[in-house]
Each structure stands twice: as C-alpha cells, then as structure tokens.
Amino acid sequence: MDRRIFEEEHEIFRDAARSFLINEIQPHVDRWNEQEIVDREAFEKAGEQGFLCMWADEKYGGAGVEDFRYEQILIEENARYGDVGFFMFLHSRLVGPYIGLLGTEEQKARWLPKCVSGENILAIAMTEASAGSDVSGIRSRAEDKGDHFLLNGSKTFISNGILADLVIVAARTDPDNRHGLSLLVVERGMEGFERGRNLKKMGMHSQDTAEMFFNNVKVPKENLLGERDRGFYHLMHFLAEERLLSAVGSLANAEAAFAVTLEYTSEREAFGRKIAEFQANRFKFADMRTEMDVAQAFIDACVMEHNAGRLTAEDAAKAKLFATELEDRVTDHCVQLHGGNGYMDEYPVSRMYTAARVSRIYAGSSEIMREIIARSIGLDPRKKQKGTRKDAA
Ligand SMILES: Cc1cc2nc3c(=O)[nH]c(=O)nc-3n(C[C@H](O)[C@H](O)[C@H](O)COP(=O)(O)OP(=O)(O)OC[C@H]3O[C@@H](n4cnc5c(N)ncnc54)[C@H](O)[C@@H]3O)c2cc1C
C-alpha cells in the first residue's frame, strides 16, 4: 500500500539519510558488532549532516523541525542500511526532548549545541536492579544539600551507557511519596559517577548497554531538569513518544528482514524451484506483507496524531504492542526461510532476529502495554480498590 504521509521534502531527506547510512555507517557495522560499541564519531558524523536533535531551535544549532516524520525516516533507513544498534533516535528523540522541553534557557544553552553536533551523547537512566516496569520502585536517592543534590544508587540496562556524556537520572527526592522522583543531569567526569560493564546481550551487540553507579555524586542544583519531585510525571509525559519510536523501529526492522528474505529466497533453490515459489512460502510472504501494511497504516496515523499533539498513551501503547509482536513473528519466519544460513551471524537476518527480542521488553513490556490499553477501555481494577496505588507501571 502506498504511504501518503510524506511530502517531497521528506523523500529528499530519505535519499540523503540513505546515502549517509550506506557511506558512513554500513562499512563499520561488522566491526561495531565485534567491539560491542559504535564509534563516537558516528554521532559526530550524523551531527554534521544535521540528523541529530532536529527539533532543537536554530540558536542551538538545530533545524527547529518538530515534524516526527523525519525521525521516522531516519529510523526506517537505519534499520535497512545502517545498524539497529546505532541509537541515534534514543539520543535525538527519546532523551533530547527532556532537555528541550524541561530545560531552562541556561541549561539548553549549556547542553543542546553539543547534543546537536553529536559531541554530547545522551542516555536516560530509570531502570534499577529491582525497579524496571514499576518506575515508582526506584531507590536511587538524591538528598538536598543546599546548592547541590547528593546522589547515591545504581542503574542498570542503560542504552548508550558507555558512550553517554550526559545522563538523565531518575532519583528519589521525596522519600515519603512513592512518586517523589526528580530528574538530574549527571555529566561525564563528575566525581563518584562510575560505569559498570558493557553488558553482554543476546543481540544488538553494537549497542552499549551498561550499569551505572552513583556514590555521593554532588549534582549541582543547576542540573535539576524540570520540577523537583515531579520527575515521575515528567517521565510519564514522554512515554507516548518513546513507544511510538519503538513501534516505528520494530516495524522498520520487520520490513528490513522481509526485504532481505525476499531477495534471498528468490535466488536460492531447492527441489528445482526457488524457495519463495513454494506455495507455503508464498502464503507466508503474503501474510507478512498484509500484517506489515496494516501495522504501517496505524503507525503512520499515530505519527500524524503525534505531530498534531493528539497522540494518546493508549494509541501509542497499541502501536508498540502490535509492532513489536509483529516484528517477532516476521523475523522468526524470515530466519526460517533462510534455513541454516539464517542462524549464521554473517547473514543480516540473524542479527535482526536477535535484536527483535528486546523490543517486547524495553520501553514498557508487552504486558505493560496491555495494562495501559485495558485501563483505557475501563478495565481498571485499581478504581475499585480504595487506597490502592494510583499510577502503577
Ligand atoms: C537492551 C536493553 C536496553 C534498555 N535500555 C534502557 C535505558 O536506556 N534506560 C532505562 O532506564 N532502562 C532501559 N532498559 C530497561 C527496560 O526498560 C526494562 O528492562 C523493562 O522496563 C522491564 O523491566 P524489568 O527488566 O525490571 O522487568 P520486570 O519489571 O521485572 O518484569 C518482568 C516480567 O514481568 C512482567 N510484568 C511486570 N509488571 C507486570 C504487570 N503489572 N502485569 C503483568 N506482567 C507484568 C513484565 O512484562 C516482564 O515480562 C533496557 C533494557 C534492555 C534489555
């Protein structure tokens, strides 16, 4: 089905993004997967091309372009021609907007220019060993010491965790309120801020995912982002966009797997016929194409709703739930259609399959998405139980 949401300038941008990814990213992908981290220079090169934090005001070096379709194009092209472990989108559109929307003029002037250029790489640290889906269970603590907060605690599974220069850390500032969190910007080099291992993962090996430790880190008050004690609500505000990003990425990964598999099975033969020509396989391709087109129509509609400021948390949750589960089915079929080669790392489909597995877990798991959707249709047991938690998950 033809997609109708793009204008001519988006198509021009898509061509530019594709040639950047083919020339500057693709040649390094195997090495990055081996070394388990992308080169810092990849962010700087993306910054030079104007691909980072495009929404930032021109006075900070950005393009002042809020239109989410540009990020959607970058994600789609990166899945096919770049590397899914190169988390440009996390830097630009998942973490950056916290500074853009919550930051004071002084903070924006201090941080944004280097975020746009790719010299400052961004990460967000919510998850702890004992608090993932339930953000309100965060134990990291920031005590008010007058001109600074004293930060103690640890985080885990943090994407861009090794490369990050600025980390938005969610920490408890009101111990008596389970939602009493604040967001603090911890900078590379602050005393007491240490990173743990670059964690070994099932897939997406080029993406650095790390633990972080904060031992009596003095975070100046000037690094408080947004309102004190309102961090929980700030986090919730950005989750719809995060889930839309995730949905776009999952469908893009599924599309990329479909494309390489169609190519492969149209060449390879068994029993004197192309693999793609067997009826069982033609029907499998037909099913995948249908599901992906249906998903695309919904996601594109969500993108336009988001551009109009109307995307609801439940529609974003539906997009993430459907796209991530579809990504799982499609990449699984695609490995199967490759036969033994599909299990070999040198075939891109193998990496697409292992990368897909995390999509149903992070940015809110499939179960949490179902919770949000169920509540939106009135199935909310909390409302029947007086005195129970107000904002779970
Ligand atoms: C590769 C990777 C990158 C990540 N990047 C980041 C990052 O950059 N920043 C960050 O802060 N975090 C990050 N995370 C953490 C991620 O967001 C969490 O792993 C995720 O939210 C799930 O939390 P958990 O691992 O603690 O699982 P748990 O919360 O322990 O959940 C375990 C299982 O229980 C289910 N469950 C939980 N609650 C419910 C419920 N109410 N009803 C039904 N089932 C439920 C879950 O769906 C899951 O299946 C990353 C994780 C990974 C693996």
Side-chain angles (χ1 to χ4, degrees):
M1 191 181 193
D2 285 343
R3 297 169 71 189
R4 303 277 176 213
I5 64 166
F6 299 114
E7 315 284 338
E8 200 188 334
E9 60 263 31
H10 297 106
E11 298 305 345
I12 294 168
F13 181 80
R14 189 183 288 281
D15 288 343
R18 185 173 299 180
S19 77
F20 166 75
L21 291 160
I22 290 172
N23 294 320
E24 302 290 351
I25 302 300
Q26 215 173 71
H28 308 290
V29 169
D30 286 341
R31 181 170 56 79
W32 290 347
N33 276 279
E34 284 290 317
Q35 71 188 25
E36 301 191 333
I37 193 163
V38 311
D39 298 335
R40 286 189 74 82
E41 293 71 40
F43 282 86
E44 286 169 19
K45 283 184 180 162
E48 277 165 26
Q49 299 297 315
F51 292 148
L52 299 182
C53 302
M54 292 176 66
W55 47 266
D57 201 280
E58 286 174 18
K59 66 182 167 188
Y60 307 121
V65 174
E66 301 258 353
D67 183 350
F68 189 85
R69 286 172 287 183
Y70 289 100
E71 202 64 39
Q72 183 181 23
I73 289 168
L74 284 173
I75 295 171
E76 290 172 355
E77 295 301 312
N78 189 43
R80 182 77 171 90
Y81 301 102
D83 180 24
V84 286
F86 176 34
F87 267 19
M88 264 191 297
F89 78 92
L90 179 121
H91 168 90
S92 289
R93 199 82 205 209
L94 199 152
V95 190
Y98 281 82
I99 299 176
L101 213 72
L102 301 174
T104 61
E105 277 310 313
E106 183 278 322
Q107 289 174 327
K108 288 193 264 193
R110 186 150 50 107
W111 292 320
L112 282 184
K114 286 190 175 181
C115 297
V116 173
S117 68
E119 291 160 88
N120 270 345
I121 298 175
L122 299 172
I124 185 153
M126 297 179 257
T127 305
E128 302 182 354
S130 57
S133 303
D134 184 4
V135 175
S136 64
I138 284 175
R139 290 188 189 161
S140 291
R141 181 130 183 238
E143 286 173 79
D144 192 334
K145 296 286 183 187
D147 63 342
H148 66 272
F149 290 100
L150 196 63
L151 176 64
N152 278 290
S154 64
K155 299 285 176 182
T156 191
F157 302 155
I158 307 308
S159 303
N160 288 350
I162 301 290
L163 287 173
D165 304 288
L166 301 177
V167 185
I168 299 179
V169 178
R172 190 162 296 285
T173 37
D174 181 354
D176 300 324
N177 174 359
R178 53 193 302 280
H179 295 148
L181 306 175
S182 297
L183 304 180
L184 303 179
V185 178
V186 174
E187 302 182 40
R188 177 183 285 283
M190 280 184 171
E191 205 176 324
F193 169 33
E194 282 163 28
R195 295 161 215 251
R197 296 173 294 139
N198 187 358
L199 298 164
K200 297 269 178 204
K201 301 189 295 298
M202 178 194 292
M204 234 197 292
H205 295 301
S206 58
Q207 168 52 220
D208 52 313
T209 311
E211 297 167 304
M212 292 182 173
F213 303 99
F214 309 98
N215 298 311
N216 291 321
V217 182
K218 285 184 181 172
V219 184
K221 284 271 171 76
E222 297 80 58
N223 284 23
L224 170 71
L225 203 54
E227 277 184 69
R228 186 190 160 143
D229 298 340
R230 299 282 304 165
F232 180 86
Y233 302 97
H234 292 326
L235 291 170
M236 296 301 122
H237 173 83
F238 288 98
L239 284 182
E241 175 153 351
E242 180 174 339
R243 284 159 190 166
L244 183 58
L245 287 163
S246 175
V248 168
S250 285
L251 185 53
N253 193 33
E255 283 284 1
F258 181 92
V260 296
T261 306
L262 193 55
E263 221 171 271
Y264 177 85
T265 53
S266 302
E267 291 292 321
R268 187 167 171 93
E269 293 188 1
F271 302 101
R273 286 170 74 180
K274 308 286 184 206
I275 300 284
E277 287 172 358
F278 293 105
Q279 190 187 48
N281 298 339
R282 283 190 297 120
F283 281 15
K284 203 169 267 180
F285 276 115
D287 284 345
M288 290 193 285
R289 187 66 271 153
T290 305
E291 285 196 84
M292 289 193 298
D293 280 359
V294 171
Q296 191 69 72
F298 185 70
I299 288 173
D300 286 349
C302 285
V303 166
M304 298 312 281
E305 285 297 281
H306 186 51
N307 272 350
R310 291 188 302 248
L311 181 66
T312 61
E314 53 267 26
D315 282 345
K318 288 174 205 162
K320 181 183 188 277
L321 175 64
F322 193 81
T324 55
E325 303 264 334
L326 177 60
E327 177 191 20
D328 201 54
R329 289 194 294 281
V330 169
T331 52
D332 185 66
H333 289 325
C334 289
V335 168
Q336 191 68 18
L337 284 160
H338 273 74
N341 283 336
Y343 200 67
M344 298 299 133
D345 195 47
E346 65 202 84
Y347 283 80
V349 76
S350 163
R351 285 185 195 159
M352 292 165 179
Y353 172 78
T354 49
R357 190 60 191 88
V358 77
S359 307
R360 292 186 285 145
I361 298 171
Y362 67 11
S365 66
S366 286
E367 291 71 32
I368 298 302
M369 295 307 101
R370 289 188 176 98
E371 264 296 332
I372 294 167
I373 298 160
R375 283 176 204 165
S376 77
I377 51 181
L379 299 172
D380 188 349
R382 298 168 312 168
K383 287 191 175 155
K384 293 192 184 127
Q385 298 163 12
K386 274 193 192 148
T388 49
R389 303 164 42 176
K390 219 173 145 213
D391 288 289

